[in-house]
Protein backbone atom coordinates (compact mmCIF):
# COMPACT_ATOMS: atom_id res chain seq x y z
CA UNK A 1 0.00 0.00 0.00
CA UNK A 2 1.00 3.67 -0.12
CA UNK A 3 1.05 6.34 2.57
CA UNK A 4 0.81 10.11 2.29
CA UNK A 5 2.05 12.63 4.84
CA UNK A 6 0.27 15.96 5.24
CA UNK A 7 -0.44 18.78 7.68
CA UNK A 8 3.04 18.73 9.22
CA UNK A 9 3.16 21.40 11.92
CA UNK A 10 5.23 22.47 14.90
CA UNK A 11 3.75 23.94 18.07
CA UNK A 12 5.85 27.09 17.78
CA UNK A 13 7.72 28.68 14.87
CA UNK A 14 9.97 30.54 17.37
CA UNK A 15 10.81 28.41 20.35
CA UNK A 16 12.34 29.91 23.52
CA UNK A 17 15.62 28.24 24.51
CA UNK A 18 15.11 25.13 26.66
CA UNK A 19 11.47 24.39 25.78
CA UNK A 20 9.97 21.33 24.10
CA UNK A 21 8.43 21.57 20.64
CA UNK A 22 5.52 19.39 19.54
CA UNK A 23 5.55 18.04 15.96
CA UNK A 24 2.27 16.80 14.45
CA UNK A 25 1.68 15.08 11.11
CA UNK A 26 -1.27 13.34 9.48
CA UNK A 27 -0.53 9.99 7.83
CA UNK A 28 -3.08 8.58 5.37
CA UNK A 29 -3.17 5.09 3.88
CA UNK A 30 -4.08 5.95 0.26
CA UNK A 31 -3.74 2.34 -0.90
CA UNK A 32 -6.25 -0.49 -1.04
CA UNK A 33 -4.90 -2.63 1.81
CA UNK A 34 -4.47 -2.27 5.55
CA UNK A 35 -0.84 -2.02 6.58
CA UNK A 36 1.66 -0.74 9.13
CA UNK A 37 3.82 2.31 8.55
CA UNK A 38 6.86 3.35 10.57
CA UNK A 39 6.70 7.13 10.80
CA UNK A 40 10.24 8.51 11.18
CA UNK A 41 11.20 11.97 12.43
CA UNK A 42 14.63 13.42 11.63
CA UNK A 43 16.11 16.75 12.74
CA UNK A 44 18.80 18.90 11.12
CA UNK A 45 20.42 21.88 12.82
CA UNK A 46 20.74 24.41 9.98
CA UNK A 47 23.11 26.76 11.82
CA UNK A 48 25.33 24.48 13.92
CA UNK A 49 28.64 25.94 15.10
CA UNK A 50 30.52 22.70 14.36
CA UNK A 51 30.33 19.71 12.04
CA UNK A 52 27.25 17.58 12.72
CA UNK A 53 25.46 14.69 10.96
CA UNK A 54 23.35 15.54 7.90
CA UNK A 55 20.20 14.58 9.83
CA UNK A 56 19.51 12.67 13.04
CA UNK A 57 16.69 10.26 13.85
CA UNK A 58 14.88 11.75 16.86
CA UNK A 59 11.63 9.78 16.89
CA UNK A 60 9.63 7.01 15.28
CA UNK A 61 6.20 5.46 15.69
CA UNK A 62 4.70 2.31 14.16
CA UNK A 63 1.04 2.78 13.26
CA UNK A 64 -1.54 0.51 11.64
CA UNK A 65 -3.93 2.04 9.12
CA UNK A 66 -6.83 0.47 7.28
CA UNK A 67 -7.23 1.35 3.60
CA UNK A 68 -8.30 4.99 3.39
CA UNK A 69 -7.71 5.63 7.11
CA UNK A 70 -5.82 8.69 8.38
CA UNK A 71 -4.18 9.15 11.76
CA UNK A 72 -2.40 12.05 13.42
CA UNK A 73 1.00 11.22 14.87
CA UNK A 74 2.53 13.50 17.51
CA UNK A 75 6.18 13.70 18.54
CA UNK A 76 7.75 15.85 21.26
CA UNK A 77 11.28 17.14 20.71
CA UNK A 78 13.14 18.05 23.88
CA UNK A 79 16.09 20.43 24.22
CA UNK A 80 18.38 17.36 24.30
CA UNK A 81 16.95 16.26 20.92
CA UNK A 82 18.03 19.62 19.47
CA UNK A 83 21.45 19.73 21.14
CA UNK A 84 24.86 18.91 19.72
CA UNK A 85 28.24 17.91 21.07
CA UNK A 86 30.60 20.85 20.52
CA UNK A 87 34.31 20.76 19.76
CA UNK A 88 35.15 20.66 23.49
CA UNK A 89 32.93 17.62 24.11
CA UNK A 90 30.13 19.53 25.83
CA UNK A 91 26.46 18.92 25.04
CA UNK A 92 25.03 22.33 24.13
CA UNK A 93 21.80 23.80 22.83
CA UNK A 94 22.40 26.65 20.44
CA UNK A 95 20.01 29.22 19.05
CA UNK A 96 19.24 28.90 15.35
CA UNK A 97 17.04 27.34 12.72
CA UNK A 98 16.12 23.65 12.64
CA UNK A 99 14.46 21.56 9.94
CA UNK A 100 12.27 18.58 10.77
CA UNK A 101 11.73 15.78 8.24
CA UNK A 102 8.86 13.30 8.70
CA UNK A 103 8.22 10.32 6.44
CA UNK A 104 8.59 6.60 5.96
CA UNK A 105 12.37 6.72 5.47
CA UNK A 106 15.41 8.87 6.07
CA UNK A 107 15.65 12.12 4.09
CA UNK A 108 18.57 11.24 1.83
CA UNK A 109 18.72 11.26 -1.97
CA UNK A 110 18.70 7.45 -2.28
CA UNK A 111 15.54 7.09 -0.15
CA UNK A 112 13.80 9.84 -2.11
CA UNK A 113 14.72 8.10 -5.37
CA UNK A 114 13.40 4.74 -4.11
CA UNK A 115 10.13 6.18 -2.74
CA UNK A 116 9.62 8.70 -5.51
CA UNK A 117 8.91 11.54 -3.08
CA UNK A 118 10.70 13.47 -0.35
CA UNK A 119 9.61 13.46 3.30
CA UNK A 120 7.43 16.27 4.63
CA UNK A 121 9.44 19.15 6.12
CA UNK A 122 8.89 22.07 8.44
CA UNK A 123 11.30 24.55 10.03
CA UNK A 124 11.39 26.38 13.34
CA UNK A 125 13.81 28.59 15.22
CA UNK A 126 15.24 28.32 18.74
CA UNK A 127 15.87 31.76 20.27
CA UNK A 128 17.89 32.71 23.34
CA UNK A 129 21.39 32.26 24.70
CA UNK A 130 23.51 29.16 24.05
CA UNK A 131 23.43 26.83 27.04
CA UNK A 132 25.16 23.70 28.20
CA UNK A 133 22.99 20.63 28.87
CA UNK A 134 23.75 17.58 30.99
CA UNK A 135 24.50 14.32 29.25
Amino acid sequence: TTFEYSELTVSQARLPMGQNVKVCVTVTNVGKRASDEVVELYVKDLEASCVIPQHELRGFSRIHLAAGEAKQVVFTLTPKDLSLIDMTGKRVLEPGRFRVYVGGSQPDARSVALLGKPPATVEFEVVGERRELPY
Side-chain angles (χ1 to χ4, degrees):
T1 194
T2 305
F3 298 93
E4 285 186 359
Y5 289 76
S6 62
E7 302 172 22
L8 178 59
T9 61
V10 291
S11 56
Q12 298 179 62
R14 287 178 55 91
L15 179 71
M17 184 70 64
Q19 290 190 2
N20 293 345
V21 62
K22 191 178 291 188
V23 179
C24 302
V25 67
T26 299
V27 183
T28 305
N29 181 346
V30 295
K32 297 182 181 184
R33 297 185 180 178
S35 185
D36 285 3
E37 173 74 334
V38 177
V39 181
E40 300 175 24
L41 180 143
Y42 292 85
V43 174
K44 176 162 181 68
D45 184 334
L46 299 174
E47 299 175 351
S49 64
C50 59
V51 177
I52 59 169
Q54 286 293 318
H55 45 264
E56 297 181 276
L57 180 66
R58 291 295 185 226
F60 63 92
S61 178
R62 178 179 291 276
I63 60 172
H64 182 82
L65 295 173
E69 183 181 8
K71 191 175 283 186
Q72 186 179 62
V73 179
V74 179
F75 296 98
T76 299
L77 292 172
T78 67
K80 187 173 181 180
D81 292 324
L82 304 176
S83 68
L84 55 83
I85 308 301
D86 71 9
M87 298 305 287
T88 65
K90 294 178 183 172
R91 178 176 292 280
V92 296
L93 179 58
E94 300 179 330
R97 294 180 313 116
F98 292 81
R99 181 175 299 136
V100 172
Y101 303 87
V102 180
S105 69
Q106 61 185 11
D108 64 351
R110 180 69 177 144
S111 296
V112 171
L114 289 170
L115 293 175
K117 59 185 169 187
T121 63
V122 66
E123 291 184 14
F124 64 92
E125 182 179 16
V126 172
V127 295
E129 295 297 316
R130 181 180 196 257
R131 73 169 58 160
E132 188 174 340
L133 299 177
Y135 276 92

